Amino acid sequence: EVLALARPNITFITGNTSGTTGDNVLIELNATDNGQVMSALIEFSGVNNSMNGSTGQNASFNHTLTLPLNNLSTVYYSVYIFDNESLVTLGGPYSITLTDNDNPSITGTNQAVNESIESTLSVTTSDNIAIDKFVWDFGDGTNTTTNTSSANHTYLVNGTYVLQVTVNDTSGNINSTSMNITVLDNTAND
């Protein structure tokens, strides 16, 4: 009996349809063929990778994808199933919608400034996507919001103040830091 040539059939595929930036996602699939399923490839971000698994009339394969860290776009992957008759089946494209759950980083250092003189205060930040805003609580009853990692402020009375800066990224993740601002009495020499 001669079997007619038939492409392999993807009978089952699973993988997350959403994920967090930088996470790993396991893609699993089952395929059948009237001959032998020989191999499977997964194409993701323009790169083809062999999938791990078994061969035969009923075959199972899997591959772990690492989602991009600095991208909130929907990403796509496709799978290719090959049989012993050189026939290929394309599955996909399948999509994964990315979300960002990574808080921005923020650091600040204690600083000394002169009273009644405007000073520039700053922090160091980074984020895997983008910073949206900075909320500055100067510790003297005043605050402001900026879109840069520095703010100008004038302390009117000498002493030590706790400056708290909160950074928000464009995905709504936040982080904050506090630092001591020592305000020097610059009128002592008058």
Side-chain angles (χ1 to χ4, degrees):
E1 170 182 347
V2 176
L3 296 176
L5 294 178
R7 294 185 186 281
N9 182 35
I10 298 172
T11 58
F12 172 78
I13 187 160
T14 183
N16 293 355
T17 57
S18 64
T20 301
T21 56
D23 281 357
N24 291 325
V25 173
L26 178 65
I27 307 298
E28 298 175 296
L29 68 86
N30 294 338
T32 60
D33 191 69
N34 65 346
Q36 295 284 313
V37 176
M38 300 303 292
S39 63
L41 290 177
I42 188 165
E43 186 276 323
F44 179 65
S45 297
V47 176
N48 289 330
N49 288 292
S50 294
M51 296 183 77
N52 300 316
S54 63
T55 62
Q57 282 188 312
N58 295 299
S60 298
F61 297 94
N62 65 67
H63 185 78
T64 300
L65 300 176
T66 301
L67 300 178
L69 183 61
N70 301 323
N71 181 346
L72 282 180
S73 301
T74 298
V75 295
Y76 298 91
Y77 66 94
S78 297
V79 294
Y80 300 86
I81 309 300
F82 301 88
D83 73 6
N84 62 322
E85 299 158 333
S86 300
L87 297 174
V88 180
T89 296
L90 167 64
Y94 304 100
S95 65
I96 301 173
T97 302
L98 297 179
T99 57
D100 173 27
N101 292 336
D102 297 321
N103 289 334
S105 68
I106 182 169
T107 56
T109 57
N110 296 337
Q111 299 176 45
V113 299
N114 291 315
E115 81 178 298
S116 300
I117 296 176
E118 184 176 74
S119 301
T120 300
L121 306 167
S122 62
V123 293
T124 302
T125 61
S126 66
D127 189 60
N128 62 321
I129 303 296
I131 301 291
D132 180 39
K133 66 180 176 180
F134 298 83
V135 178
W136 302 78
D137 180 341
F138 296 103
D140 63 355
T142 61
N143 57 60
T144 192
T145 300
T146 66
N147 61 1
T148 64
S149 60
S150 63
N152 294 330
H153 185 67
T154 303
Y155 286 95
L156 300 177
V157 178
N158 66 343
T160 300
Y161 298 87
V162 176
L163 169 63
Q164 182 164 343
V165 184
T166 302
V167 60
N168 297 28
D169 71 12
T170 54
S171 298
N173 302 306
I174 63 170
N175 201 354
S176 62
T177 190
S178 296
M179 61 195 100
N180 291 326
I181 305 298
T182 303
V183 179
L184 306 173
D185 182 359
N186 65 354
T187 62
N189 295 327
D190 289 348

